[in-house]
Amino acid sequence: MSTSDVGKDGLRGERPGREAQIGRGVRRKGRRGERAMVPDAEFTSYYGKPVLNPPVWKAADVAAYFFLGGLAGAGSVLAAGAQLTGRPAAARALKASSLAAILGSTAALIHDLGRPERFLNMLRVMKPTSPMSMGSWLLAAYGPAVGGAAVLDVTGLFPRLGGAATATAAALGPAVTTYTAVLAADTAVPAWHEAHRQLPFVFAGSATAAAAGMGLVASPLRENGPMRSAAVFGTVLEAAAARTLRRRVGFVAEPYQEGKAGRLMRAGAVLSAAGAGGAALFAGRSRAAAVVSGTALLAGSAFTRFGVFHAGMQSARDPKYTVVPQRERLAARADIARADAGRADAEQVG
């Protein structure tokens, strides 16, 4: 019960520190105003359970699936370019590495699914609105193409058919490189879903750097010029896309910078930058430098993919990354509705 009272002489019996304080409290950056505000709530959930059930995917399977699929797709594009520019050894090495990578990626996916027939069951229908369905069909088309390109190049049989397979694999390569980003962003996991515009570019840059790294490791010095350029391009694209993600996604990007995911992302950025620098400065003159730079690029790409995976898991476990964006979207819709109502009232008065 309050002990204060209001009389003609003013307020009597008030308790110090109990008055309303306008504009005090926890604020979000960039917001101003003279509103009484309540401190941000501590986000808890029913019986301590997360708002979302984190995906049951295993890092060793799904993050490897992300990395190897990107390496395969980008490698097919670089292999076609190497073949067109008269670099047969580089083209052959990249075709073989793309085949090995897509086989490893498919094996990781099937292992995560638990039974091989589950992958085949996904091919029973084609659903254009489902990234999982379209990804399954994409792998079903890309696998034979990249396999034919590699086998026919090594054996020297049917060169025209081998050229067609190389071109088909290169045409499908960009989609193979980035569709896993679309697959992740199509989930309700906040760190992935909120980054649906930037994540494909992160994956594309990371995959290009990895494929260029593989080219540097496996190609002779006289043929690795395009790989050095691709290494720099892929690293710059990945870094720019990651920076844009952190800026535009806002606080939901915190998992990419904190905990295990943050450590992996920073390690990936450092290794990719070191690999790209070595590729640009030394890989054209030293075989050892080319191998070291290529290895750093491959490791940097792998760290980035595992970092993205763990960032999603961290965001799914913390309810604030689910609740706050929902509240902000509801508030934005309410503001729009009020503005529309105000315009309608003004038109009626006018």
Side-chain angles (χ1 to χ4, degrees):
M1 180 180 294
S2 174
T3 60
S4 61
D5 189 20
V6 178
K8 63 181 181 180
D9 296 325
L11 183 64
R12 298 190 301 272
E14 72 273 21
R15 297 166 60 187
R18 302 293 294 178
E19 67 275 7
Q21 298 182 18
I22 305 301
R24 299 289 297 276
V26 178
R27 296 188 180 186
R28 287 190 179 280
K29 291 182 180 179
R31 294 192 180 180
R32 302 175 60 187
E34 294 297 323
R35 300 187 296 172
M37 300 185 70
V38 177
D40 286 348
E42 178 182 354
F43 291 96
T44 58
S45 55
Y46 189 66
Y47 282 108
K49 294 182 179 296
V51 174
L52 295 176
N53 287 324
V56 296
W57 300 339
K58 297 178 286 292
D61 290 333
V62 175
Y65 165 61
F66 288 171
F67 167 67
L68 292 171
L71 174 62
S76 290
V77 176
L78 291 181
Q83 184 164 311
L84 287 174
T85 56
R87 293 175 169 85
R92 185 173 299 115
L94 285 167
K95 290 175 187 179
S97 68
S98 291
L99 175 58
I102 201 62
L103 290 174
S105 178
T106 304
L109 174 60
I110 292 174
H111 186 265
D112 186 73
L113 291 173
R115 295 198 302 270
E117 61 268 22
R118 288 179 176 172
F119 177 78
L120 298 176
N121 288 339
M122 290 190 288
L123 300 177
R124 295 173 63 183
V125 296
M126 180 181 287
K127 189 177 181 181
T129 57
S130 169
M132 179 65 77
S133 175
M134 298 310 297
S136 301
W137 281 98
L138 178 62
L139 289 178
Y142 174 77
V146 72
V151 172
L152 294 176
D153 192 325
V154 171
T155 61
L157 300 173
F158 309 109
R160 290 187 178 181
L161 184 59
T166 299
T168 301
L172 296 175
V176 174
T177 296
T178 56
Y179 97 91
T180 49
V182 179
L183 177 64
D186 193 52
T187 67
V189 175
W192 298 340
H193 182 74
E194 297 294 327
H196 65 277
R197 290 185 176 89
Q198 296 81 30
L199 209 54
F201 292 98
V202 174
F203 275 36
S206 174
T208 301
M214 179 61 73
L216 290 172
V217 170
S219 302
L221 285 180
R222 65 181 181 277
E223 296 186 6
N224 74 4
M227 313 310 161
R228 302 198 304 271
S229 300
V232 175
F233 171 77
T235 300
V236 171
L237 175 60
E238 178 189 346
R243 183 175 180 179
T244 302
L245 185 156
R246 291 191 296 269
R247 186 177 71 249
R248 294 189 177 177
V249 174
F251 93 105
V252 181
E254 287 177 357
Y256 290 100
Q257 305 170 71
E258 300 176 352
K260 185 175 184 178
R263 293 191 295 272
L264 288 168
M265 294 294 289
R266 287 189 292 273
V270 170
L271 285 166
S272 295
L281 298 175
F282 308 112
R285 293 175 289 178
S286 167
R287 176 66 184 153
V291 172
V292 171
S293 299
T295 303
L297 288 165
L298 285 163
S301 178
F303 274 111
T304 296
R305 299 305 178 98
F306 276 79
V308 169
F309 177 85
H310 285 289
M313 293 301 184
Q314 290 171 202
S315 71
R317 288 191 290 266
D318 193 331
K320 72 180 179 181
Y321 296 118
T322 301
V323 175
V324 172
Q326 290 177 344
R327 290 181 177 176
E328 291 180 342
R329 284 191 288 268
L330 288 172
R333 293 191 191 109
D335 290 342
I336 293 172
R338 282 193 293 270
D340 292 342
R343 284 193 296 268
D345 292 342
E347 292 174 357
Q348 290 178 359
V349 171

